[in-house]
Amino acid sequence: MISVFYKDNLENLVKLLAQHNVKIYSTGGTQEFITSLGIPVVAVEHLTNFPSIFGGRVKTLHPKVFGGILYRRENKEDIATAQQFEIPPIDMVIVDLYPFEETVAKGASPEEIIEKIDIGGISLIRAAAKNFQDVLVISSKEQYQMVEMLLSQQNCATSLQDRRYFAAQAFDITSHYDTAIFHYLNQTNEKKIFSYKESIRKGKQLRYGENPHQSGFFYGELEAMFDQLNGKELSYNNLIDIDAAIALIDEFPVHQSIAFAILKHNNACGCATASTAHEAYLKALAADPVSAFGGVLVCNATIDKPTAEEINKLFIEILIAPDFTEDALAVLKSKSNRILLKRKSVNLPTMLYRTTLNGVIGMEKDLKTETEQELKVVTQIAPTAQQIRDMLFAMKIAKHSKSNAIVFAVDGQMYASGVGQTSRIDALKQAIEKAQRFGFDLRKAAMASEAFFPFSDCVAEAHKVGVKAVIQPGGSKNDVESIQFCNQHGMTMVFTGIRHFKH
């Protein structure tokens, strides 16, 4: 039985079946295609003695079709029933599914989308996959060449192991298809069904997980997002760091400024903007050249030779950019294990999921970025235009740092950060210590906190090192204490009203 939407690479497989005198049943356009090859084909209507009806919605849904697929070849009762009702055996089913996801993606009308919900095709696939003991199911055009090779090598025969493998592939395809339909209908319903269903058909095993004793996997199409130009295979930890790097660099559209960030363990240890990638890199590196060793680097602009030569002085794991000049690549490829990723434009998911306890939790990504218009000045002294720019820049980095987090920044350059601390005051002290260690004067720095200050101790500690501008969400019952301290000590502070916890 052959009934497919996509006929790419089907010709050779059909010809191979004909050479082995396989009787072919088919429908509609597929039947016409096979006929055009000069190969005998029997219309399904001749088998069922029933026409295609309802505009083609019903054509293969018939006992003679499904009986021929499902009857058990070793079961005497099934054999007798097949003989009684003159049901011929169907030993191979080549059927694909209507392009539902593609139809949704192109913005088709609801009527067009509904018509691309396959009924007969998916039923044929499931029936053949269920009876893999006797039937081979081919459920995607990607399988045609593999099956052609298999049948050529085995004299048009298959083993039970072969059939079981293709049955598993079939249910992989049908479950993915049903998941896509569920999501479409659920997204367009006023009343949502809170059922967790995700399906990614492509995946691969990684070298290991977070640690060598843990297995790791990636499900998705990395090739759609990156061209890997150099380096070893990406690891689990690499992928986590790359995800963090992309999230941070996307805060800085290249049409506004060239930005460079350096990350370790998902946190920025350097981030800067400048008029060139070379300058932005050097400013980012200055924040913490020690932590930058073995880091993940990301830029929103093309990497040129001068930038590559600076980067080449440092051991790094990964460099991500939208493009590289040829002479830059020549420099960067001097280290064979250095991973170079050329980023492509692709839509990223807007939801986050995580296995937790005996279930899964999910939430929307934190895609909120504060603007000047949203800031609320809560102190007597209002910030200058430069302080506002510095505060917003620092908050972008704090947003992508592990809580509790404090970030210092001046003129498009991160000076230091304290991240992942169990108290906010400890995060602040860590940031101050790092800034001082690398020679930064904090008297002009803006300080950002991704969550509110529970007490006035943070602004008091910042005042000791000369900080004059503070940005935080606000919302603590003790906000007034921090505000009063700032007013008493000539500091300006703004509230954003938006918390950016990151765990």
Side-chain angles (χ1 to χ4, degrees), residues 248-249 251-254 256-263 268-288 297-301 390 393-394 396-397 407-416 440:
L248 175 56
I249 204 67
E251 295 284 352
F252 304 98
V254 69
Q256 295 179 3
S257 61
I258 294 176
F260 216 112
I262 305 170
L263 290 88
C269 55
C271 185
T273 58
S275 58
T276 67
H278 180 260
E279 182 187 358
Y281 168 69
L282 291 176
K283 287 172 67 177
L285 180 64
D288 189 347
L297 280 58
V298 62
C299 184
N300 65 355
D390 292 344
F393 176 85
K396 287 180 178 180
I397 301 168
V407 173
F408 292 121
V410 176
D411 194 21
Q413 181 181 17
M414 172 180 151
Y415 272 13
F440 290 108

Coordinates of all heavy atoms in Angstrom, one line a residue, residues 248-249 251-254 256-263 268-288 297-301 390 393-394 396-397 407-416 440:
L248 N 22.1 36.4 27.1 CA 22.7 37.7 27.5 C 23.0 38.6 26.3 O 22.6 39.8 26.3 CB 24.0 37.4 28.3 CG 24.8 38.7 28.7 CD1 23.9 39.7 29.5 CD2 26.0 38.3 29.4
I249 N 23.6 38.0 25.3 CA 24.0 38.9 24.1 C 22.8 39.4 23.4 O 22.8 40.5 22.8 CB 24.9 38.1 23.2 CG1 25.8 39.1 22.3 CG2 24.2 37.2 22.2 CD1 26.8 39.9 23.2
E251 N 20.3 40.8 24.7 CA 19.9 42.0 25.3 C 20.5 43.2 24.6 O 20.1 44.4 24.8 CB 20.4 42.1 26.7 CG 19.8 41.0 27.6 CD 18.3 41.4 28.0 OE1 17.9 42.5 27.7 OE2 17.7 40.5 28.6
F252 N 21.5 43.0 23.6 CA 22.2 44.1 23.0 C 22.1 44.0 21.5 O 22.9 43.4 20.8 CB 23.7 44.0 23.4 CG 23.9 44.1 24.9 CD1 24.1 42.9 25.6 CD2 23.9 45.3 25.6 CE1 24.3 43.0 27.0 CE2 24.1 45.3 26.9 CZ 24.3 44.2 27.6
P253 N 21.0 44.5 20.9 CA 20.9 44.5 19.4 C 22.1 45.2 18.8 O 22.5 46.3 19.2 CB 19.6 45.3 19.2 CG 18.9 45.3 20.5 CD 19.9 45.2 21.6
V254 N 22.6 44.6 17.7 CA 23.8 45.1 17.1 C 23.6 46.5 16.5 O 24.5 47.3 16.4 CB 24.4 44.1 16.1 CG1 23.4 44.1 14.8 CG2 25.8 44.5 15.7
Q256 N 22.2 48.9 17.9 CA 22.4 49.9 18.9 C 23.9 50.0 19.3 O 24.4 51.1 19.6 CB 21.5 49.5 20.1 CG 20.0 49.6 19.9 CD 19.2 49.2 21.1 OE1 19.8 48.9 22.2 NE2 17.9 49.2 20.9
S257 N 24.5 48.9 19.4 CA 26.0 48.9 19.8 C 26.5 47.5 19.6 O 25.8 46.5 19.7 CB 26.2 49.4 21.2 OG 25.5 48.5 22.1
I258 N 27.8 47.5 19.4 CA 28.5 46.2 19.3 C 28.8 45.7 20.8 O 29.2 46.5 21.6 CB 29.8 46.3 18.5 CG1 29.6 46.6 17.1 CG2 30.7 45.0 18.7 CD1 30.8 46.8 16.2
A259 N 28.4 44.5 21.1 CA 28.6 44.0 22.4 C 29.4 42.7 22.4 O 29.4 41.9 21.5 CB 27.2 43.8 23.0
F260 N 30.1 42.5 23.6 CA 30.9 41.3 23.8 C 30.7 40.9 25.2 O 30.6 41.7 26.1 CB 32.4 41.6 23.5 CG 33.1 40.5 22.9 CD1 33.6 40.6 21.6 CD2 33.3 39.3 23.6 CE1 34.3 39.6 21.0 CE2 34.0 38.3 23.0 CZ 34.5 38.4 21.7
A261 N 30.5 39.6 25.4 CA 30.4 39.0 26.8 C 31.2 37.8 26.9 O 31.4 37.0 26.0 CB 28.9 38.7 27.0
I262 N 31.7 37.6 28.1 CA 32.5 36.4 28.5 C 31.8 35.8 29.7 O 31.5 36.4 30.7 CB 33.9 36.8 28.9 CG1 34.6 37.6 27.8 CG2 34.7 35.6 29.2 CD1 35.9 38.2 28.1
L263 N 31.5 34.5 29.6 CA 30.8 33.8 30.6 C 31.5 32.6 31.1 O 32.2 31.9 30.4 CB 29.4 33.3 30.1 CG 28.4 34.4 29.8 CD1 28.5 34.9 28.4 CD2 26.9 33.9 30.0
A268 N 28.1 36.0 33.6 CA 29.0 36.9 32.9 C 30.1 37.3 33.8 O 29.9 37.7 35.0 CB 28.3 38.2 32.4
C269 N 31.4 37.1 33.4 CA 32.5 37.6 34.1 C 33.1 38.8 33.4 O 34.1 39.4 33.9 CB 33.6 36.5 34.3 SG 34.2 35.7 32.8
G270 N 32.5 39.1 32.3 CA 32.8 40.4 31.6 C 31.8 40.6 30.5 O 31.2 39.7 29.9
C271 N 31.5 41.9 30.3 CA 30.5 42.3 29.3 C 30.7 43.8 29.0 O 30.9 44.6 29.9 CB 29.1 42.1 29.8 SG 27.8 42.4 28.6
A272 N 30.7 44.1 27.7 CA 30.9 45.5 27.4 C 30.3 45.8 26.0 O 30.2 44.9 25.2 CB 32.4 45.8 27.4
T273 N 30.1 47.1 25.8 CA 29.7 47.6 24.4 C 30.8 48.6 24.0 O 31.4 49.2 24.8 CB 28.3 48.2 24.5 OG1 28.3 49.3 25.4 CG2 27.3 47.3 24.8
A274 N 30.9 48.7 22.7 CA 31.9 49.6 22.1 C 31.6 49.8 20.6 O 30.7 49.2 20.1 CB 33.3 49.1 22.3
S275 N 32.4 50.6 20.0 CA 32.2 50.9 18.5 C 32.8 49.8 17.7 O 32.5 49.7 16.5 CB 32.8 52.3 18.2 OG 34.2 52.3 18.5
T276 N 33.7 49.0 18.2 CA 34.3 47.8 17.5 C 34.2 46.6 18.3 O 34.2 46.7 19.6 CB 35.7 48.1 17.1 OG1 36.5 48.2 18.2 CG2 35.8 49.4 16.3
A277 N 34.3 45.4 17.7 CA 34.3 44.2 18.4 C 35.7 44.1 19.2 O 35.7 43.6 20.4 CB 34.2 43.0 17.5
H278 N 36.7 44.6 18.7 CA 38.0 44.6 19.3 C 38.0 45.3 20.6 O 38.4 44.8 21.7 CB 39.1 45.2 18.4 CG 40.5 45.2 18.9 ND1 41.0 46.3 19.5 CD2 41.4 44.2 19.0 CE1 42.2 46.1 19.9 NE2 42.5 44.8 19.6
E279 N 37.5 46.5 20.6 CA 37.4 47.3 21.8 C 36.4 46.7 22.8 O 36.7 46.7 24.0 CB 36.9 48.8 21.5 CG 36.9 49.7 22.7 CD 36.3 51.0 22.4 OE1 35.9 51.3 21.2 OE2 36.1 51.8 23.3
A280 N 35.3 46.2 22.4 CA 34.3 45.6 23.3 C 34.9 44.4 24.0 O 34.7 44.2 25.2 CB 33.1 45.2 22.5
Y281 N 35.7 43.6 23.2 CA 36.3 42.4 23.8 C 37.3 42.8 24.9 O 37.3 42.2 26.0 CB 37.0 41.6 22.8 CG 37.9 40.5 23.4 CD1 37.4 39.4 24.0 CD2 39.3 40.6 23.3 CE1 38.2 38.5 24.6 CE2 40.1 39.7 23.9 CZ 39.6 38.6 24.6 OH 40.4 37.7 25.2
L282 N 38.1 43.8 24.6 CA 39.1 44.2 25.6 C 38.5 44.8 26.9 O 38.9 44.5 28.0 CB 40.1 45.2 25.0 CG 41.0 44.7 23.9 CD1 41.9 45.8 23.3 CD2 41.9 43.6 24.5
K283 N 37.4 45.5 26.7 CA 36.7 46.0 27.9 C 36.0 44.9 28.7 O 36.0 44.9 29.9 CB 35.6 47.1 27.4 CG 36.2 48.4 26.9 CD 35.1 49.3 26.3 CE 34.1 49.7 27.3 NZ 33.1 50.6 26.7
A284 N 35.5 43.9 28.0 CA 34.8 42.8 28.7 C 35.9 42.0 29.4 O 35.7 41.6 30.6 CB 34.1 41.9 27.7
L285 N 37.0 41.8 28.8 CA 38.1 41.0 29.4 C 38.6 41.6 30.7 O 39.0 40.9 31.6 CB 39.2 40.8 28.4 CG 40.4 39.9 28.9 CD1 40.0 38.5 29.2 CD2 41.5 40.0 27.8
A286 N 38.7 42.9 30.7 CA 39.2 43.7 31.8 C 38.5 43.4 33.1 O 39.1 43.5 34.2 CB 39.3 45.2 31.5
A287 N 37.2 43.1 33.0 CA 36.4 42.9 34.2 C 36.9 41.8 35.1 O 36.9 41.9 36.3 CB 35.0 42.7 33.9
D288 N 37.4 40.7 34.5 CA 37.9 39.6 35.2 C 38.7 38.7 34.3 O 38.2 37.6 33.9 CB 36.7 38.8 35.9 CG 37.2 37.7 36.8 OD1 38.4 37.4 36.8 OD2 36.3 37.2 37.5
L297 N 32.8 32.9 25.0 CA 32.8 34.2 24.5 C 31.7 34.4 23.4 O 31.4 33.5 22.6 CB 34.1 34.6 23.9 CG 35.2 35.0 24.8 CD1 35.6 33.9 25.8 CD2 36.5 35.4 24.0
V298 N 31.0 35.5 23.5 CA 29.9 35.7 22.5 C 29.9 37.2 22.1 O 30.1 38.1 22.9 CB 28.5 35.3 23.1 CG1 28.2 36.2 24.3 CG2 27.4 35.4 22.1
C299 N 29.7 37.4 20.8 CA 29.7 38.8 20.3 C 28.5 38.9 19.3 O 28.1 37.9 18.7 CB 31.0 39.1 19.5 SG 31.1 40.8 18.9
N300 N 27.9 40.1 19.2 CA 26.8 40.3 18.3 C 27.2 40.8 17.0 O 26.3 41.2 16.2 CB 25.7 41.2 19.0 CG 26.3 42.6 19.2 OD1 27.4 42.9 19.0 ND2 25.4 43.5 19.7
A301 N 28.5 40.9 16.7 CA 29.0 41.4 15.4 C 30.1 40.5 14.9 O 30.6 39.6 15.6 CB 29.6 42.8 15.7
D390 N 24.0 53.8 32.4 CA 24.8 52.8 33.2 C 24.0 51.8 34.0 O 24.2 50.6 34.0 CB 25.8 53.5 34.1 CG 26.9 54.3 33.4 OD1 27.1 54.0 32.2 OD2 27.5 55.2 34.0
F393 N 22.3 49.3 31.6 CA 23.3 48.3 31.2 C 23.6 47.3 32.2 O 23.6 46.1 32.0 CB 24.5 49.1 30.8 CG 25.7 48.2 30.4 CD1 25.8 47.7 29.1 CD2 26.7 47.8 31.3 CE1 26.8 46.9 28.7 CE2 27.7 47.0 30.9 CZ 27.8 46.5 29.6
A394 N 23.8 47.8 33.5 CA 24.1 46.9 34.6 C 22.9 45.9 34.9 O 23.2 44.8 35.2 CB 24.4 47.7 35.8
K396 N 20.8 44.7 32.7 CA 20.7 43.7 31.7 C 21.6 42.5 32.1 O 21.3 41.3 31.9 CB 21.2 44.2 30.4 CG 20.2 45.1 29.7 CD 20.7 45.6 28.4 CE 19.7 46.5 27.7 NZ 20.2 47.0 26.4
I397 N 22.8 42.8 32.7 CA 23.7 41.7 33.1 C 23.2 41.1 34.4 O 23.2 39.8 34.5 CB 25.1 42.3 33.3 CG1 25.6 43.0 32.0 CG2 26.1 41.2 33.8 CD1 26.8 43.8 32.2
V407 N 25.7 43.9 40.2 CA 26.5 44.2 39.1 C 26.9 45.7 39.2 O 26.0 46.5 39.4 CB 25.9 43.9 37.8 CG1 26.7 44.4 36.6 CG2 25.6 42.4 37.6
F408 N 28.2 46.0 38.9 CA 28.7 47.4 38.8 C 29.0 47.6 37.3 O 29.6 46.7 36.7 CB 29.9 47.6 39.7 CG 29.7 47.6 41.1 CD1 30.3 46.6 41.9 CD2 28.8 48.4 41.7 CE1 30.1 46.6 43.3 CE2 28.6 48.4 43.1 CZ 29.2 47.5 43.9
A409 N 28.7 48.8 36.8 CA 29.0 49.1 35.4 C 29.2 50.6 35.3 O 28.5 51.4 36.0 CB 27.9 48.6 34.5
V410 N 30.0 50.9 34.3 CA 30.2 52.3 33.9 C 30.4 52.4 32.4 O 31.2 51.7 31.8 CB 31.5 52.9 34.6 CG1 31.8 54.3 34.1 CG2 31.4 52.9 36.1
D411 N 29.7 53.3 31.8 CA 29.9 53.6 30.4 C 30.0 52.4 29.5 O 30.9 52.2 28.7 CB 31.1 54.5 30.2 CG 31.2 55.2 28.8 OD1 30.2 55.3 28.2 OD2 32.3 55.5 28.4
G412 N 29.0 51.5 29.6 CA 29.0 50.3 28.7 C 30.0 49.3 29.0 O 30.4 48.5 28.2
Q413 N 30.5 49.3 30.3 CA 31.5 48.3 30.7 C 31.1 47.7 32.1 O 30.9 48.5 33.0 CB 32.9 48.8 30.7 CG 33.9 47.8 31.1 CD 35.3 48.4 31.2 OE1 35.5 49.7 31.2 NE2 36.3 47.6 31.2
M414 N 31.0 46.4 32.1 CA 30.8 45.8 33.4 C 32.1 45.9 34.2 O 33.2 45.5 33.7 CB 30.4 44.3 33.2 CG 30.4 43.5 34.5 SD 29.9 41.8 34.1 CE 30.8 40.9 35.4
Y415 N 32.1 46.4 35.4 CA 33.3 46.5 36.2 C 33.4 45.2 37.1 O 34.5 44.7 37.2 CB 33.2 47.7 37.2 CG 33.7 48.9 36.6 CD1 34.0 49.1 35.2 CD2 34.0 50.1 37.4 CE1 34.5 50.3 34.7 CE2 34.4 51.3 36.9 CZ 34.7 51.4 35.5 OH 35.2 52.5 35.0
A416 N 32.3 44.7 37.6 CA 32.4 43.5 38.5 C 31.0 43.0 38.8 O 30.0 43.8 38.7 CB 33.2 43.8 39.8
F440 N 39.3 48.7 39.5 CA 38.2 49.6 39.1 C 37.8 50.6 40.3 O 37.6 50.1 41.4 CB 37.0 48.8 38.7 CG 37.3 48.1 37.4 CD1 37.4 46.7 37.3 CD2 37.3 48.8 36.2 CE1 37.6 46.0 36.1 CE2 37.5 48.1 35.0 CZ 37.7 46.7 35.0

